[in-house]
Amino acid sequence: MTRVLLAEDDEAIADPLARALRREGYDVEVRGDGQEALEVALQGVDLVVLDLGLPTMDGLDVCRRLRAAGSAVPVLILTARTDEVDTVVGLDAGADDYVRKPFRLAELLARARALLRRGLMEPEVTSSLLIDQESRRVFLRGQELALTGKEYALLGVLYRERGKVVSREQLMHEIWDTEWYGSTKTLDVHISVLRRKLDESADAGKMIATVRGVGFRLDLDD
């Protein structure tokens, strides 16, 4: 059974959310303390739904320590913060996605399903880029990239369609499991962080090109 850790100290949120996750068929463990949540997550779960405002240890610190320990478990952040900077900080800390409070339950469950979904791609190899679906590890020119789950999924889709333009709508549908007709700011933030990691590792020009009004294209040198 899929194990989900719900790290939320507000019982008014945690109780109904835990019930909803259990109705989805998940084995849910609830923790209202950051340190306890970290310990449970390190023992091995399939998804962490993580509130940022936890006692004893902030959710960002929980996420950073998870990644520092080598855990690749998908992390879905719950946040009441609305500042774009805070969102980027959360993604840089290793979160895969985020939902702002107050959230719609259907949206949160859809994002959880998207994070838990396992891709069907076989490992892809080029002379410079290795994407290993089974281990969820990515290497660029021999250097392993520290990618979050969403960044990994984005790179996987762009690689599959390398050299072709992938529309924003397609990316939102495949990565976020939703039809999207409005703002794609979430996608832009993830692309920005992924692009920076790729460019820093490649020590070269932009690998992900923006095609205005359409979407993005992955350009490889091999």
Side-chain angles (χ1 to χ4, degrees):
M1 182 178 291
T2 300
R3 295 189 62 207
V4 175
L5 168 62
L6 173 57
E8 169 62 66
D9 64 326
D10 187 342
E11 292 184 1
I13 296 175
D15 290 348
L17 181 51
R19 287 196 298 270
L21 289 166
R22 290 180 179 121
R23 284 196 299 270
E24 292 283 305
Y26 306 139
D27 179 13
V28 182
E29 191 158 352
V30 181
R31 289 292 184 273
D33 176 274
Q35 182 63 49
E36 292 181 3
L38 177 61
E39 292 171 0
V40 172
L42 289 174
Q43 291 171 8
V45 295
D46 299 298
L47 174 68
V48 177
V49 181
L50 180 65
D51 179 40
L52 289 185
L54 293 172
T56 74
M57 184 184 296
D58 184 87
L60 290 177
D61 287 333
V62 172
C63 198
R64 289 191 186 100
R65 296 193 187 192
L66 267 176
R67 298 311 183 214
S71 173
V73 61
V75 175
L76 175 62
I77 279 182
L78 305 180
T79 177
R81 306 173 188 178
T82 58
D83 194 300
E84 185 79 6
V85 173
D86 287 329
T87 299
V88 173
V89 169
L91 296 174
D92 278 342
D96 298 285
D97 201 0
Y98 64 93
V99 176
R100 289 196 176 104
K101 298 177 181 179
F103 53 81
R104 293 179 301 166
L105 183 58
E107 178 188 2
L108 187 148
L109 293 176
R111 290 179 183 270
R113 286 193 297 270
L115 288 177
L116 286 165
R117 185 192 303 120
R118 297 301 179 187
L120 300 178
M121 295 185 302
E122 293 297 321
E124 301 281 3
V125 182
T126 73
S127 61
S128 67
L129 186 65
L130 165 65
I131 303 177
D132 190 333
Q133 176 68 18
E134 185 173 343
S135 68
R136 297 181 65 84
R137 300 174 74 187
V138 176
F139 297 86
L140 182 62
R141 294 182 175 87
Q143 178 181 352
E144 184 172 4
L145 304 184
L147 302 184
T148 67
K150 273 292 187 289
E151 293 160 6
Y152 172 85
L154 277 171
L155 182 59
V157 174
L158 291 171
Y159 179 83
R160 187 190 70 209
E161 306 293 338
R162 59 193 178 279
K164 302 176 183 178
V165 179
V166 184
S167 70
R168 291 173 176 271
E169 289 76 16
Q170 181 179 344
L171 289 170
M172 292 301 300
H173 177 71
E174 291 203 37
I175 308 305
W176 278 270
D177 194 30
T178 184
E179 299 295 337
W180 199 269
Y181 301 103
S183 170
T184 56
K185 181 174 289 187
T186 295
L187 171 61
D188 291 330
V189 170
H190 282 78
I191 285 286
S192 177
V193 175
L194 176 58
R195 178 181 278 148
R196 185 169 70 249
K197 291 181 179 180
L198 285 170
D199 292 343
E200 288 174 352
S201 296
D203 192 24
K206 297 292 184 185
M207 294 182 68
I208 300 178
T210 299
V211 181
R212 290 189 179 279
V214 184
F216 304 94
R217 184 185 66 244
L218 180 66
D219 293 326
L220 298 177
D221 57 6
D222 48 23

